[in-house]
Amino acid sequence: MMDACADPSALSGLGWLLCYLSTGKHLLFYASFGTVLLLLAVTAPVALGFGFMGALAARARLWPVRVIGRAYTAMVRGVPDIIFFLFVPIALDQGFEYVRHRVKCPDWTEPVRQGSDFVVCQAAKLPLSTSPQIWHEVYGFALAVLAFAVVFGAFAANVLAGAMQAVPRAQLETAEAYGMTPRQVTRRILIPQMWIFALPGLSNLWMILIKATPLLFLLGVEDVVYWARELGSAKTQAYSYPHPDWRLWYFLALLLFYLGMTKISEAVLGRLTARLARGQATMAGEAMRKAAA
Amino acid sequence: MSCTQTILDYGLRSIGIGERLLPKSDFTLCQQFTLIGSGLIWNVYFGVLALAAGFFFANALALAKASHLAWLRRPADWFIFLFRGSPLFIQFFLAYEMLVLLPRTGIDIFGLTVATSWLTKAWAGALIVLFLNTAAYSAEIFHGALMAVPKGDIEAADAYGLTGWQKFRRILWPTMLRLAWPSYTNEAIFLFHATTLVFFSGFPALRQQGDALYYAKYFADKTFNPFIPYPIVAGYFIALTLVLIVIFGWVNRRLNRHLPGSMRPRLRVRPQIIR
Amino acid sequence: MKTLILTTAALALSAGFALADTVRMGTEGAYPPYNFINDKGEVDGYERELGDELCKRAGLTCEWVTNDWDSIIPNLVSGNYDTIIAGMSITEERDQVIDFTQNYIPPADSAYAALTADADLKGVIAAQTGTIQADYVAESGATLAEFATLDDTLAAVKSGEADAVFADLDALAASVNESGGALVWAGEPVSLGGGVGMGLRESDKELRAKFDAVITEMKADGTINTLITKWFGPEAKTY
């Protein structure tokens, strides 16, 4: 295969296309679909964690905690996510480096901000400028995950807070009547019982998360959109495989990828809903009980 | 230059009124606030028109989706899946690329030449995409609400001898709207947020006239400092969201005005059906 | 206690590496022949070859990183890489924020390309956002249409969306020459900017001096001219 592709200008038709689709660049493009899936896989639990803390904070008895929880969710709701993505990663990056700078280089005398430069000592750089490129990419990816998690955590907090409200009072009162402490009620009854109420909202959130991933390229991660643009754009003779502007086809492929993701997610989430609804005091649970009886 | 002068010069810059050239150096906070605010005109333009037109189309789509006739239901299902299942970012890009492919000289229809060049401009092309997009999302919300109309309401309508259009107009539709309204409020908020994507993918800004994010990016590019312009846009959008919530809350009260005060549902976030 | 040991270990490691002096070179990767991603997925082009040679002569280990054009300067000043070597023209505005080495390409011409030679240069002109060419078009009184990449601007001209594209002459040359007459030069070339130089943080005086010295050396022995002719063709301006 590789030998056949040694001289692309001599190829034509299907052979050319096969060689074209298996260039190193295309392999990177295919790998970037993995990046997107990885982002989804990592971000979803992290965002859920953020959401959990947000929801618990919004229910806290201590009022400053409550205010912080509510402000967090309300603010993210009011601002387009794209704007968050444009400056949250840079802010996070500089914040981390500043903290490390204070810890690692206490006897540094020069100011951190010199004009528009942001200068921290070498040891505080994240990652160290000497570390291999892969760590820079991992770090960039981690910042992206964090930025996504902050935004989607706020929505998740909304969903979970609503779900906690929806757990029937009677169940919680029964638990109290058995002598459980508030903490025990939360851990043993409230959290296990709220999932069925949270699921519709969380499925919806998952769908939104999938559709937000094309914005990943804004955060400097080389994702599917980056490669689709790069590969699709017109190529002159400076490249081994010259071709006209093919971005339309690449983006159509992305469209199909996202539609497929949606279809699969819908099927999986549908099954999950059915599973969680079993034995619940909801309409779906009741319908299941009747069908079985 | 005083701030009032800046506002006079740049307040309507985004729609082509005022100074022709954007500020090039010595950027003041006043300039940033004015220009970004001026860009907000575009966000409001896209949001309001897409929402208004999308509302009617969404109603039709929701009814088609609920129809027993397969030839009505299937296309509606597909349309909603296509627009809800793919990222708006990619929709914008594809729409622009496809609109560009239309012949520049116009299309001949029965001897009449229909101009097509205006379709590739953001004010029309992006508006169409946003309109179709919000119609699909709202249709899903309305369809869900239509399915949730209480059986008792329908039985009562039947008992009063209401049929067909009358039953729909006076019973089904108002109830559906009442049920859908909290989710629809969310959809409206998210649509306004989505308008920031217009000049970000696909559609080019002409004569440096763009939306709030376009100017924020301009300043971030020129001052190399993202920490001032982006929070300004964020602030404007929080204000816009609050205005939307007030307006939609007012409509919500009107929709439920027949209920006794204590039973009126307050407008709450319904996170099940945000975009 | 465990963490303390770990951090010391990390410090020791970093100190060891620091001797190697890795310089991270930031580029765009979408501006042939200056810099582009070749079919293997690596950075290639005039600047790749020049940069590698500069690093070799200066005794530095260099590593290539790509970054979007839009955020290439903010990411330099916040330290994600150490140099910008991305066909960036030296201008007054940029010089206020970052420092430039002396130019490694003489002040180049920018030119209009269009479908016909008599295209309306006061009509709709496409240019890449954030370039000196975009600023020039905005001031020239023509209707500026801004696109994210050079490819977008070319596509806009081919589709008739814009009357002409205004960009760096060398970057446009390949597309015009290979278009088979579909794209032609329009109007006269305009000289803009102070040549292309390497961008560095203002606080990095030492690194800048190093690069400046090797560029002078390469200009003197003619290696830069050979490179320019190799990548930009025999008509390109040399030193």
Side-chain angles (χ1 to χ4, degrees), chain A residues 235-255:
Chain A
K235 296 283 179 290
T236 59
Q237 302 292 343
Y239 297 86
S240 322
Y241 296 89
H243 63 77
D245 191 348
W246 280 354
R247 281 177 305 171
L248 189 59
W249 305 112
Y250 280 92
F251 273 80
L252 277 174
L254 291 192
L255 184 76

Side-chain angles (χ1 to χ4, degrees), chain B residues 73-164:
Chain B
R73 196 177 61 238
R74 291 264 163 71
D77 273 343
W78 274 104
F79 177 86
I80 293 173
F81 175 66
L82 180 68
F83 278 92
R84 288 186 77 234
S86 61
L88 180 61
F89 180 85
I90 288 177
Q91 289 168 22
F92 270 131
F93 183 88
L94 284 174
Y96 178 72
E97 292 286 303
M98 288 179 182
L99 290 172
V100 163
L101 292 179
L102 293 174
R104 308 293 304 167
T105 46
I107 303 171
D108 270 326
I109 300 172
F110 305 122
L112 275 170
T113 311
V114 181
T116 52
S117 58
W118 54 276
L119 280 171
T120 54
K121 304 284 182 291
W123 68 263
L127 186 61
I128 292 171
V129 177
L130 283 168
F131 154 70
L132 296 175
N133 187 277
T134 185
Y137 279 99
S138 315
E140 185 69 24
I141 293 171
F142 290 155
H143 177 255
L146 199 59
M147 295 291 104
V149 171
K151 215 164 118 197
D153 286 24
I154 303 167
E155 279 164 4
D158 288 338
Y160 274 97
L162 295 175
T163 47

Side-chain angles (χ1 to χ4, degrees), chain A residues 19-31:
Chain A
C19 282
Y20 171 69
L21 289 178
S22 59
T23 55
K25 230 171 164 180
H26 271 89
L27 296 183
L28 289 172
F29 175 52
Y30 306 139

Side-chain angles (χ1 to χ4, degrees), chain A residues 92-108 112 118-131 136 139, chain C residues 7 10-11 14-15 18 78-80:
Chain A
L92 284 174
D93 181 31
Q94 296 195 351
F96 289 149
E97 290 193 346
Y98 183 71
V99 171
R100 273 168 63 95
H101 177 77
R102 295 309 292 262
V103 174
K104 296 206 165 183
C105 313
D107 34 74
W108 184 277
V112 170
F118 178 80
V119 185
V120 291
C121 62
Q122 279 297 322
K125 280 270 175 63
L126 255 184
L128 297 167
S129 60
T130 48
S131 42
H136 288 272
Y139 179 66
Chain C
T7 31
L11 268 176
S14 67
S78 67
N80 288 350

Side-chain angles (χ1 to χ4, degrees), chain B residues 20 120 207 214 217 222 224, chain C residues 70 97 138 144 146 161:
Chain B
R20 196 174 63 79
T120 54
R207 292 189 191 85
Y214 170 84
K217 242 168 90 67
K222 294 282 173 192
F224 307 103
Chain C
D70 278 348
V97 186
L144 169 67
E146 285 169 279
E161 209 30 34

Side-chain angles (χ1 to χ4, degrees), chain A residues 221-241:
Chain A
V221 176
E222 290 177 355
D223 73 330
V224 285
V225 175
Y226 171 86
W227 285 113
R229 280 221 277 205
E230 168 61 36
L231 287 165
S233 60
K235 296 283 179 290
T236 59
Q237 302 292 343
Y239 297 86
S240 322
Y241 296 89

Side-chain angles (χ1 to χ4, degrees), chain C residues 51-102:
Chain C
D52 283 346
E53 182 64 26
L54 289 175
C55 292
K56 204 174 92 191
R57 291 188 185 209
L60 304 164
T61 320
C62 290
E63 202 166 31
W64 290 83
V65 200
T66 50
N67 196 88
D68 243 20
W69 178 253
D70 278 348
S71 58
I72 206 161
I73 292 183
N75 276 311
L76 173 80
V77 294
S78 67
N80 288 350
Y81 35 80
D82 306 304
T83 68
I84 295 176
I85 170 160
M88 185 177 269
S89 298
I90 302 170
T91 64
E92 190 90 0
E93 280 171 26
R94 289 176 183 148
D95 214 2
Q96 284 168 8
V97 186
I98 56 175
D99 264 0
F100 283 101
T101 60
Q102 58 174 306

